[in-house]
Amino acid sequence: MTYKTQAVVAAALMTLAMSSQAADPIKIGVSGPYTGGSAPMGVSMRDGVKLAVAEINAAGGLLGRQIQLVERDDEAKNERGVQIAQELINKEKVVATVGFINTGVALASQRFYQEAKIPVINNVATGTVITKQFEKEKDNYVFRTSAADKIQAKMIADEAVDKQKLTKVAILADSTNYGQLGREDLEKVLSDKKVTPVAVEKYNIKDVDMTAQLLKSKQGGAQAVLTYGIGPELAQIANGMEKLNWHVPIIGSWPLSMGNFIDNSGKNGNGARMPQTFIQDGTTPKRKAFIEAYQKAYKVDRMPSAVSAAQGYDSILLLAAAIKQAGTTDGDKVRAALENLNTKVEGVVTTYDKPFTHDDHEAIKPGMVVMGEVKNGRVILGK
């Protein structure tokens, strides 16, 4: 081989190596519960994320590279979430992660992203404290595209006290971080309205009999049951009220829209009201296209959790916009870009115009959330 030939071969190999490196996929973690009682939220979120990634990849990807999702099932368990966070960061080398359905899992896991200076976007978990966990540090790598409980708690209280003019309410909340932190937010808002619940009751995940909690609430004269929990147990509340022949409104946080609440409660769930960032209704061309794409891709009519799917989809659009603006996948630069997005991002929940700042990592503001109502197996816009 002549010197000239060697030089040509070496140059070709270098070009090939550089091309291969440039073509390496951008890895993004997707962490949530895909099994168990929280699965409708986790699966819907993941499937919304996958739709957004498919659209981006079909259009050429990001920075000339394709996005590769690294999916992990955290089973709604704090310890599992911690293991996954470390695996995604240290082994898979993700540039960011989206997900977290359960507030407890988020609070236990996201500190690893903070330490690694890798952005994480909570797209379903709603505990008010989530984006505040590291607010005292110089930079905060935790963002959110779901409606914080402080927003939802106010809407629940406004609905019960201001709109429906009720003076006696009971609170039933599950024993998780989500349920108890939400209960605290709700009690605070009710206190501001000079309303003290006649009963504040707790139950555990997988409980199937709420009779004791409901009887105490009924005997206290509650005119409505305010809930903070997830689908399966919420259905037990609705069904338990029917067994007691006790027909008062159920008003609660957004998981009253979950498919496993609607299906397991049947007619007993009709009329339940809850805050929603997204209702499965094609009211805009973007929403219509998203709903149709979801139905086609996953062969379903009703999304198991439309809110989770929409917020998952939008979280990827925002992250992609930040990576594109930063021109790199470097965590610190992507965080800075998220905090100062210079282009509007059309999502299905809303069109985001500078959704984050350095000191505000909440994309969803109060005016973006509406009240939904269960009616005949669907969630519709509440009147």
Coordinates of all heavy atoms in Angstrom, one line a residue, residues 45 48-49 51-52 55 123 286 290 308-318 346-348:
M45 N -48.9 7.9 29.2 CA -47.8 8.8 29.1 C -46.7 8.3 28.2 O -46.3 9.1 27.2 CB -47.2 9.0 30.5 CG -46.0 9.9 30.6 SD -44.4 9.1 30.2 CE -44.2 8.0 31.6
G48 N -47.9 8.5 24.6 CA -47.9 9.9 24.1 C -46.4 10.3 23.7 O -46.2 11.0 22.7
V49 N -45.5 10.0 24.6 CA -44.1 10.3 24.4 C -43.6 9.6 23.1 O -42.9 10.3 22.2 CB -43.2 9.8 25.5 CG1 -41.7 9.7 25.2 CG2 -43.4 10.7 26.8
L51 N -45.3 8.8 20.4 CA -45.9 9.5 19.3 C -45.1 10.7 18.9 O -44.8 11.0 17.7 CB -47.3 9.9 19.5 CG -48.4 8.8 19.5 CD1 -49.8 9.5 19.7 CD2 -48.4 8.2 18.1
A52 N -44.7 11.5 19.9 CA -43.9 12.7 19.7 C -42.6 12.4 19.1 O -42.1 13.0 18.2 CB -43.8 13.5 21.0
E55 N -42.7 11.4 15.5 CA -42.9 12.5 14.6 C -41.6 13.3 14.4 O -41.2 13.6 13.2 CB -43.9 13.5 15.2 CG -45.4 13.0 15.2 CD -46.3 13.9 15.9 OE1 -45.9 15.1 16.2 OE2 -47.5 13.5 16.1
N123 N -44.0 14.7 33.8 CA -45.1 15.0 32.9 C -46.4 14.5 33.4 O -47.4 14.7 32.7 CB -44.8 14.5 31.5 CG -44.4 13.1 31.4 OD1 -44.7 12.3 32.3 ND2 -43.6 12.7 30.4
K286 N -54.5 20.4 16.1 CA -53.4 19.7 16.7 C -54.0 18.6 17.6 O -53.5 17.5 17.6 CB -52.6 20.7 17.5 CG -51.4 20.1 18.2 CD -50.2 19.9 17.2 CE -48.9 19.5 18.0 NZ -47.8 19.3 17.0
F290 N -53.6 14.6 17.1 CA -53.0 13.8 18.1 C -53.9 12.6 18.6 O -53.5 11.5 18.7 CB -52.7 14.7 19.3 CG -52.3 14.0 20.6 CD1 -51.1 13.3 20.7 CD2 -53.2 13.9 21.7 CE1 -50.8 12.6 21.9 CE2 -52.9 13.3 22.9 CZ -51.7 12.6 23.0
S308 N -52.5 12.1 30.8 CA -51.1 11.6 30.8 C -50.5 11.5 29.4 O -49.3 11.9 29.2 CB -51.1 10.2 31.5 OG -51.6 10.2 32.8
A309 N -51.3 11.1 28.5 CA -50.8 11.0 27.1 C -50.5 12.3 26.5 O -49.4 12.5 25.9 CB -51.9 10.3 26.2
A310 N -51.3 13.3 26.7 CA -51.1 14.7 26.2 C -49.9 15.3 26.9 O -49.1 15.9 26.2 CB -52.4 15.5 26.4
Q311 N -49.8 15.2 28.2 CA -48.7 15.8 28.9 C -47.4 15.1 28.5 O -46.3 15.8 28.5 CB -48.9 15.8 30.4 CG -50.1 16.7 30.8 CD -50.6 16.5 32.2 OE1 -51.5 17.2 32.7 NE2 -50.0 15.6 32.9
G312 N -47.4 13.8 28.3 CA -46.2 13.1 27.9 C -45.8 13.6 26.5 O -44.6 13.8 26.3
Y313 N -46.7 13.7 25.6 CA -46.4 14.2 24.2 C -45.8 15.6 24.3 O -44.7 15.8 23.7 CB -47.7 14.2 23.5 CG -47.7 14.7 22.0 CD1 -47.4 13.8 21.0 CD2 -47.9 16.0 21.7 CE1 -47.4 14.3 19.7 CE2 -47.8 16.5 20.4 CZ -47.6 15.6 19.4 OH -47.6 16.0 18.1
D314 N -46.4 16.5 25.0 CA -45.9 17.8 25.1 C -44.5 17.9 25.7 O -43.7 18.8 25.4 CB -46.9 18.7 25.8 CG -48.1 19.1 25.0 OD1 -48.2 18.6 23.9 OD2 -48.9 19.9 25.5
S315 N -44.2 17.1 26.7 CA -42.9 17.1 27.4 C -41.8 16.9 26.4 O -40.7 17.5 26.5 CB -42.9 16.1 28.5 OG -42.9 14.8 28.1
I316 N -42.0 16.0 25.4 CA -41.0 15.7 24.4 C -40.8 16.9 23.5 O -39.7 17.3 23.1 CB -41.3 14.4 23.6 CG1 -41.1 13.2 24.5 CG2 -40.5 14.3 22.4 CD1 -39.7 12.9 24.9
L317 N -41.9 17.5 23.1 CA -41.8 18.7 22.2 C -41.0 19.8 22.9 O -40.2 20.5 22.2 CB -43.2 19.2 21.8 CG -44.2 18.2 21.1 CD1 -45.4 18.9 20.6 CD2 -43.5 17.6 19.9
L318 N -41.3 20.0 24.1 CA -40.5 21.1 24.8 C -39.1 20.7 25.0 O -38.2 21.6 24.8 CB -41.2 21.3 26.2 CG -42.5 22.0 26.2 CD1 -43.2 22.0 27.6 CD2 -42.4 23.5 25.7
E346 N -46.1 24.5 19.9 CA -47.5 24.1 19.8 C -47.7 22.7 20.3 O -47.3 21.7 19.6 CB -48.0 24.2 18.4 CG -49.5 24.0 18.3 CD -50.1 23.9 16.9 OE1 -49.3 24.1 15.9 OE2 -51.3 23.8 16.8
G347 N -48.3 22.6 21.5 CA -48.5 21.2 22.0 C -50.0 20.9 21.9 O -50.8 21.7 21.3
V348 N -50.4 19.9 22.6 CA -51.9 19.5 22.6 C -52.6 20.1 23.8 O -53.8 20.3 23.8 CB -52.1 18.0 22.4 CG1 -51.7 17.6 21.0 CG2 -51.4 17.2 23.4

